[in-house]
Amino acid sequence: MRGVVSAGMVAGLEYLGLLPAFDVIYGTSAGAINGAYFVAGQAAYGASIYYDEINNSQFINPLRWLCGDPPVSLDYLFEHVMIRRKPLEWRRVLHSPIELVPVATSIQQACAVLLRGARSRYDLYLRLMASARIPFVAGPPVRVNGEDCVDGGLYASIPFRQALNEGCTHVLALLTRPAGATLKRSSFLSRHIVCRKLARYNPLLRNAFTNRVSGYARELDWLNANTCAPNGSPFVCAVSPPRGAAIVGRFEKRSEYLVSGARSGLEAIMHAFGQQNPSHRQVLYPSRQSGSRDTGPMWDEDVEIGRRASGCFTFRPQSGVKGEAGNA
């Protein structure tokens, strides 16, 4: 549920009218879903999902583990919330000149993979689900283009490296933890169980899980150094809630804490761009930012749509790019 912070951030970017400034959105886990609503022009609408729709036992229920089911139900999010309750305008995402690139972890390759190529709602939701499939907490791996994928946070909690590797020269990285906060080490029991299960898929994944705390710290150090003292292209700016802000828990369900997390993200963006904070109710409680409700077919029904030729789009190559931290 920590993704509510970056959801507040993209709501702030939307409020400032900055969506057209970006060419590509890279998102991991919840960051990919937030990015989808951002590209669709529904960022604030998507942010409200956290404190209106999924802070309940239908989405998070640890007791399901006793029945052998994952405690986090991505099926509820994708099949109920994102289609019926607060539907994503998926056609806008697929037709947008701003490319959305969900980042996941490939089990076979033991590395981060970029899940491009969505041509239908099924394709898009499948890629978003794969990026958010926290191992053993949110269900089994998701197969995309022949790759078995899980949450991208194993290798790319903050997917700015993917942007830089693709030649991007201006990167805005949205961090969900307050300035100065680090990734806490998992409990011994959690490490023991998860590492054993990951090793069954690929032994390299166990190493990635074990080393993710130190890897995350190195990425933060690099981002902070290049944000505070840039040495030229590529230009990187990391935005995070202020030092001392409360950290939203992964399984937080209390509305007031989730709204507070969204507000901290919104205010961080306003501060970064030198703007006064707007009324959080004005931004974070939208009436609705989409067209008519789309109640069918289900997300897993392959509704094919035409794809515009790339020549119809005007891109600014190697320009502004945003990377999000989804589950870090």
Side-chain angles (χ1 to χ4, degrees), residues 12 28 33 35 52 60 64 87 90 131 136 139 142 146 149 188 196 215 218 233 236 258 295 325 327-328:
T28 295
I33 298 172
D52 283 347
I60 301 174
R64 282 198 287 261
W90 56 275
S131 180
F136 317 110
V142 178
C149 297
F188 173 80
R196 283 184 60 189
R218 287 193 299 271
S233 181
V236 178
L258 294 168
T295 57
N327 66 338

Side-chain angles (χ1 to χ4, degrees), residues 45-292:
Y45 188 59
S48 68
I49 288 175
Y50 290 89
Y51 39 85
D52 283 347
E53 305 296 342
I54 60 175
N55 56 327
N56 52 52
S57 59
Q58 292 173 288
F59 181 62
I60 301 174
N61 186 356
L63 294 179
R64 282 198 287 261
W65 244 328
L66 300 177
C67 303
D69 295 325
V72 174
S73 175
L74 290 182
D75 290 341
Y76 174 76
L77 172 61
F78 283 93
E79 296 181 5
H80 181 71
V81 176
M82 292 176 62
I83 288 181
R84 292 182 170 84
R85 295 291 300 170
K86 294 195 172 174
L88 171 68
E89 293 288 352
W90 56 275
R91 291 181 179 85
R92 295 183 189 173
V93 179
L94 297 189
H95 284 302
S96 175
I98 303 167
E99 184 183 17
L100 175 68
V101 184
V103 182
T105 294
S106 166
I107 287 178
Q108 287 88 345
Q109 300 183 54
C111 66
V113 290
L114 307 182
L115 301 181
R116 289 185 162 96
R119 294 181 56 85
S120 66
R121 181 165 66 185
Y122 170 77
D123 287 348
L124 176 61
Y125 280 26
L126 189 71
R127 284 156 174 75
L128 295 176
M129 181 177 283
S131 180
R133 188 74 96 179
I134 304 172
F136 317 110
V137 173
V142 178
R143 179 165 285 258
V144 181
N145 294 336
E147 296 274 358
D148 292 317
C149 297
V150 293
D151 189 291
L154 277 176
Y155 287 95
S157 289
I158 315 170
F160 72 96
R161 293 286 183 190
Q162 285 65 37
L164 296 177
N165 291 341
E166 295 202 324
C168 299
T169 59
H170 296 73
V171 177
L172 179 63
L174 306 184
L175 309 181
T176 57
R177 284 179 170 78
T182 57
L183 190 65
K184 290 184 179 181
R185 194 179 186 189
S186 303
S187 67
F188 173 80
L189 182 61
S190 174
R191 294 197 306 273
H192 181 69
I193 294 175
V194 174
C195 284
R196 283 184 60 189
K197 289 182 176 292
L198 285 173
R200 293 177 186 174
Y201 290 133
N202 187 330
L204 295 176
L205 299 179
R206 175 179 55 195
N207 298 334
F209 184 81
T210 302
N211 298 327
R212 65 195 182 101
V213 174
S214 58
Y216 185 81
R218 287 193 299 271
E219 298 289 54
L220 279 183
D221 289 342
W222 192 95
L223 281 171
N224 290 331
N226 284 272
T227 296
C228 298
N231 295 317
S233 181
F235 298 97
V236 178
C237 178
V239 178
S240 63
R243 190 178 300 271
I247 298 178
V248 179
R250 173 174 283 185
F251 302 119
E252 181 61 70
K253 293 196 286 187
R254 291 168 293 183
S255 295
E256 62 271 23
Y257 284 78
L258 294 168
V259 172
S260 177
R263 287 183 63 179
S264 69
L266 170 64
E267 291 170 2
I269 286 294
M270 294 299 158
H271 176 74
F273 285 89
Q275 302 295 312
Q276 292 186 342
N277 291 330
S279 164
H280 77 277
R281 288 194 170 274
Q282 178 184 359
V283 178
L284 301 177
Y285 288 89
S287 56
R288 186 151 191 260
Q289 295 166 290
S290 81
S292 60

